[in-house]
Amino acid sequence: MPLFANSDTLLGIAELHDASALRPFRRAEPLDACGGRGLVIVDAPADEWGVTDRGGVGKLVWASWRSPGVG
């Protein structure tokens, strides 16, 4: 997972990509489930996140974190 940082206001950006065209969606999974928590884990600390098509195969899911007190 690449992590990027620029300027003193943005702490970082995480990007994950795969070959699936299926968009991620939030699920209400039981506590003992083995999966289905990806967006919950990403959304909790991130200031924003999104999904971008990769122009052919798959998608890119990204999340960014800003310095405290910024935007």
Side-chain angles (χ1 to χ4, degrees):
M1 167 178 31
L3 292 173
F4 305 96
N6 63 2
S7 81
D8 57 348
T9 61
L10 184 64
L11 290 178
I13 299 171
E15 297 180 347
L16 291 130
H17 50 87
D18 63 29
S20 172
L22 296 174
R23 298 283 199 175
F25 61 94
R26 292 183 76 118
R27 303 181 209 179
E29 294 292 333
L31 292 176
D32 61 348
C34 293
R37 294 186 188 85
L39 286 185
V40 173
I41 293 168
V42 169
D43 187 47
D47 291 306
E48 57 184 341
W49 64 269
V51 182
T52 305
D53 292 325
R54 290 185 62 202
V57 178
K59 65 185 174 295
L60 176 110
V61 180
W62 59 269
S64 65
W65 296 266
R66 299 196 184 286
S67 296
V70 175

